[in-house]
């Protein structure tokens, strides 16, 4: 067992009756950022996310899709999981409330509450909101006060939880643990709710089939919130939580609309069962679209994938954490997103990295130079960087992501200004000038190294590229932030390969592409009703020409822009044993080197392909061909009846590697 201090945090366990939008993405990215940050501070961290798969809503959605509930939720959970992977989210535990280990934990918790005298049988009649899975305090015929949708009158025999018995214990707990609920406004809201008196809570249902049964008491199934909240515990051992060692959680991060479930019901269930309570519940604000909460029911959602396809996952992560003050509501706008991308990422971090590396390449033989006599402006920048380290860690500890990033970007701006005022490019070749230039370039590179270490939890992808550009070993995620100090950049370290970070993008075009993809996604059928795409190896090898499309098959420009094609250069090519048609290629596409399999082995000699420029579809999902991973597709014409592949190329002009085909 690790002797590092443990840190356990959770996202909400998301409903599977819809697909993730950037509201869900926000909570998950925040958790992932905290997870990465805590690791860099020396903690043994576990993060749980997952899917909340029971309830009448799922019953109805599955019926509508014409599939069994289990199939419905399995497909939806896979979609959620895949998206988190694409966003670089490193969840350690993905718990599904249909997992067997979860059902056991829920039944165990119910049993403990019952044995301790906090569960009793009764009947309940009330207005129920099937969308929020909660009884609501309205009259028959009235809509849900939370989501505005119709409620249903439900009468059923069920088991009650004696929530009323926990008013005093909860108030006592809140008083003794002033940081239990964050931020302050949410704490006050919960306090006044509990001070107003607590009514017992119905925690089983007999009107719903799709849920975790109460053993020996069928048709009672457990109330979805009793079920879902327990997922936090079942992910880390359930009844064996002590042995696993991560419970109680340090942090449940949720949106503000579910604070009551987390800060009142959940601690009451745990108290009733005699189990330890989580240390903190943090309820963040909402992402708004046109001033309303972004939500599936209002239909005003924006999905993460189009943004990731056009700007990259780091751009979305940066925007979400920088633009909204954590805890408050924040408006989403494509305009602000692209603005931030161009100004902070392309012109800020990206530019500092590329200009510093280019100058070191040119003047210092591609090795980190050795600084010599320092001038006041060098030491001032060093002092500022050292100060920023402290301030950023302090902000991250308070979940002040926006301020932390502001600090880092002020350091980047200071380094940019320093380069401009010191203008190392205009120094000559005298010994003194060379030494001065070396000092300036080392100083700029050291600012970059520190900025990268501090930014890594938010921008995992691009910081990894800059880290290797600076010739640093390992991954930035393994930096110990507690030991980060000015002056640790070793002179003489050779730079790594330069990779484009944040290519500048034309705003109108970027927005048009994202909006077109978003529209397309909204009109797409649910993944549960859509058959999986047929597996056609040719699409990942050389593109075999499909039959010419019929006139009615024409596509719009928005479909075409979804395909990202770039100029690539073949670096290596080799045959694959046991696959006569396939070649394994490595292709430089500007931003990275990709491994791609192409079905051209019968027509092209591998050694003759080296150095050849080709058109590459770069945003195809990776797949395995004959056990070899292929990450992209080389474009080729298919000629003659046998479909001989002829590689598309650029014979007339020397095109830049990575240039986009439009
Ligand atoms: O409530 N802005 O699941 P859910 C910011 N299954 N965050 C948002 C958001 C927005 N516009 N919309 C959603 C459930 N979220 C239950 C949770 S936990 C044991 C059970 C985020 O799929 C935010 O974190 O409706 C919110 O609390 C959560 O998604 C709701 O996800």
């Amino acid at each position: 067992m690790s002797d590092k201090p443990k840190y356990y945090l959770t996202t909400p366990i998301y409903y599977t009756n819809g697909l993730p939008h950037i509201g869900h993405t926000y909570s998950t990215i925040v958790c992932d950022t905290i997870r990465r940050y805590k690791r860099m501070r020396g903690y043994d961290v576990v993060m749980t996310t997952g899917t909340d798969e029971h309830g009448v809503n799922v019953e109805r959605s599955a019926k509508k899709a014409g599939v069994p509930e289990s199939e419905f939720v399995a497909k939806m959970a896979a979609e959620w999981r895949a998206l988190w992977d694409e966003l670089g989210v490193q969840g350690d535990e993905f718990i599904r409330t249909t997992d067997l280990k979860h059902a056991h934990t829920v039944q165990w918790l119910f049993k403990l509450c019952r044995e301790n005298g906090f569960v009793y049988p009764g009947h309940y009649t009330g207005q129920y909101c099937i969308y929020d899975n909660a009884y609501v305090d309205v009259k028959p015929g009235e809509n849900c006060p939370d989501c505005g949708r119709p409620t249903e009158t439900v009468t059923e025999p069920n088991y009650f939880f004696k929530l009323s018995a926990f008013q005093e214990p909860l108030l006592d707990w809140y008083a003794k643990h002033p940081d239990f609920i964050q931020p302050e406004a949410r704490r006050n809201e919960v306090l006044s709710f509990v001070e107003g008196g607590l009514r017992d809570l119905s925690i089983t249902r007999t009107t719903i089939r799709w849920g975790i049964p109460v053993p020996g008491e069928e048709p009672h199934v457990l109330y979805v919130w009793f079920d879902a909240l327990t997922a936090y515990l079942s992910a880390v051992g359930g009844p064996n939580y002590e042995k696993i060692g991560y419970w109680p959680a340090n942090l449940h991060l949720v949106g503000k609309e579910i604070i009551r479930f987390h800060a009142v019901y959940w601690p009451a269930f745990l108290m009733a069962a005699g189990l330890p309570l989580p240390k903190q519940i943090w309820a963040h604000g909402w992402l708004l679209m046109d001033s309303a909460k972004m939500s599936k029911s209002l239909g005003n959602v924006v999905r993460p994938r189009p943004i990731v396809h056009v700007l990259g996952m780091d751009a979305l992560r940066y925007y979400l954490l920088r633009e909204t003050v954590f805890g408050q509501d924040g408006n989403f706008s494509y305009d602000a997103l692209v603005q931030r991308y161009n100004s902070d990422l392309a012109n800020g971090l990206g530019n500092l990295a590329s200009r510093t590396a280019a100058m070191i390449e040119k003047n210092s033989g591609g090795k980190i130079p050795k600084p010599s006599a320092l001038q006041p402006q060098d030491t001032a920048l060093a002092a500022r960087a050292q100060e920023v380290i402290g301030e950023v860690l302090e902000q991250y500890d308070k979940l002040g992501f926006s301020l932390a990033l502001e600090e880092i970007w002020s350091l980047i701006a200071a380094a940019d200004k320093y380069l401009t005022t010191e203008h190392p490019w205009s120094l000559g070749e005298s010994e003194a000038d060379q030494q001065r230039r070396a000092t300036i370039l080392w100083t700029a590179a050291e600012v970059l190294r520190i900025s990268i270490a501090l930014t890594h939890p938010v921008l995992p992808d691009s910081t990894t590229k800059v880290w290797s550009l600076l010739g640093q070993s390992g991954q930035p995620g393994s930096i110990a932030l507690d030991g980060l100090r000015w002056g640790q950049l070793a002179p003489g370290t050779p730079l790594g390969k330069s990779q484009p970070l944040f290519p500048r993008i034309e705003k109108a075009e970027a927005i048009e592409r994202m909006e077109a993809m978003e529209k397309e996604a909204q009109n797409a059928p649910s993944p549960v009703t859509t058959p999986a795409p047929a597996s056609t190896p040719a699409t990942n090898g050389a593109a075999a020409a499909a039959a010419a499309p019929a006139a009615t098959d024409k596509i719009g420009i928005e479909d075409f822009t979804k395909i990202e094609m770039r100029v690539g250069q073949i670096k290596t090519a080799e045959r694959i044993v046991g696959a006569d048609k396939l070649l394994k290629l490595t292709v430089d596409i500007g931003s990275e080197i990709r491994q791609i399999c192409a079905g051209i082995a019968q027509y092209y000699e591998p050694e003759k392909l080296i150095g050849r420029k080709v058109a590459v579809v770069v945003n195809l999902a990776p797949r395995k061909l004959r056990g070899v991973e292929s990450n992209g597709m080389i474009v080729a014409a298919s000629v003659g009846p046998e479909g001989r592949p002829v590689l598309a190329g650029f014979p007339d002009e020397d095109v830049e590697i990575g240039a986009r085909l439009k």
Side-chain angles (χ1 to χ4, degrees), residues 354 464-466 468-469 496-502 590-593:
S354 57
T464 304
K465 290 181 187 162
V466 181
S468 77
L469 172 66
K497 187 180 173 327
S498 162
Q499 314 175 45
L501 288 170
F502 303 107
S591 54
E592 61 185 293
I593 307 273

Side-chain angles (χ1 to χ4, degrees), residues 116-130:
N116 293 342
F118 295 107
V119 172
Y120 62 93
H123 271 88
Y124 188 80
T125 299
Q127 290 308 114
Y128 191 75
C129 173
I130 62 154

